[in-house]
Amino acid sequence: MKLSWILSLALLITPDANAFEINALGGLNYAAPTESLSGVDQAWTGDAAPTFGFDAMLPLFDLPLSLESGVWFETATSEHTLSNISSSRETHWTEVPLLLHFHFDPFISLGAGGYLSFARGSVATTVNGVTLSQSFGAAQIKDTDSGLLLDIRARLHVTPLLCFLLDARYQHGLSNLSTVSTNLQNTRSIQVLAGASFEFL
């Protein structure tokens, strides 16, 4: 009797090493870009904004490695105060990540790789309570971005084929998003996510 309980528990917590995964996650994005205007630091602070996405993880042979890619829909909202003037900025992006995950065990994996993002919609800039909506070009911001992505993911098997996921990501932009040669703007963000994973043996 005890042996059957142990075997049942093992089936619940032990994933198939060669399972292909489809994941859906959502949560909050805290975007605090680094920006300087002609050498003057803008000191942006990240505000919580919604983000969600879908990805797939493909196991690499019998190694504790998986390749992840998918599509993410991110909102980036930041604010700063300079010379008693309060400003905030909101942008929307579609991101395509490519990460290599190392699985320490069935529960924890660490991913590293890169991303490519494409702007959606317009740039909403609010200064002292007044909001102005502009195209990315008019706001002097490029509409594509790329950089590095780090990820740590925890999974808990609810059934042998269904997992609950917790995920944290750090996005480090390498592209200068400013269209003005004397200015500098780079993406920096942290994402906190939760979701579900469906495995296909």
Side-chain angles (χ1 to χ4, degrees):
M1 183 66 175
K2 289 183 178 179
L3 180 60
S4 64
W5 276 103
I6 293 172
L7 291 175
S8 298
L9 182 61
L11 284 173
L12 286 175
I13 66 174
T14 305
D16 190 295
N18 296 312
F20 172 74
E21 299 178 18
I22 297 292
N23 308 311
L25 297 108
L28 298 174
N29 182 36
Y30 296 86
T34 59
E35 183 177 24
S36 65
L37 304 180
S38 299
V40 179
D41 186 10
Q42 299 302 291
W44 290 94
T45 301
D47 289 339
T51 185
F52 66 95
F54 308 91
D55 64 53
M57 291 185 70
L58 177 68
L60 299 179
F61 312 108
D62 290 325
L63 300 172
L65 299 173
S66 294
L67 194 64
E68 175 201 335
S69 188
V71 60
W72 291 83
F73 303 95
E74 299 173 356
T75 300
T77 305
S78 308
E79 63 179 21
H80 78 93
T81 301
L82 186 65
S83 301
N84 296 320
I85 299 176
S86 298
S87 303
S88 66
R89 185 168 62 206
E90 180 177 295
T91 55
H92 301 270
W93 299 84
T94 299
E95 178 186 293
V96 179
L98 183 62
L99 295 169
L100 182 65
H101 276 261
F102 177 80
H103 299 266
F104 293 96
D105 55 33
F107 310 102
I108 302 293
S109 68
L110 181 65
Y115 72 90
L116 183 62
S117 290
F118 305 92
R120 306 191 324 270
S122 57
V123 179
T125 304
T126 302
V127 179
N128 289 337
V130 179
T131 300
L132 173 66
S133 182
Q134 298 174 289
S135 67
F136 277 76
Q140 299 178 332
I141 300 175
K142 296 176 183 177
D143 58 5
T144 59
D145 184 27
S146 61
L148 303 177
L149 199 60
L150 298 176
D151 172 80
I152 184 167
R153 178 171 292 183
R155 53 173 51 79
L156 175 64
H157 272 70
V158 180
T159 73
L161 300 182
L162 175 65
C163 295
F164 174 72
L165 300 179
L166 290 174
D167 195 289
R169 296 182 175 227
Y170 172 63
Q171 191 175 4
H172 187 91
L174 298 178
S175 299
N176 181 8
L177 294 179
S178 178
T179 60
V180 180
S181 61
T182 57
N183 298 342
L184 180 67
Q185 181 183 336
N186 295 102
T187 298
R188 304 285 187 267
S189 71
I190 294 176
Q191 296 148 21
V192 181
L193 308 160
S197 174
F198 304 91
E199 295 185 355
F200 300 88
L201 303 181

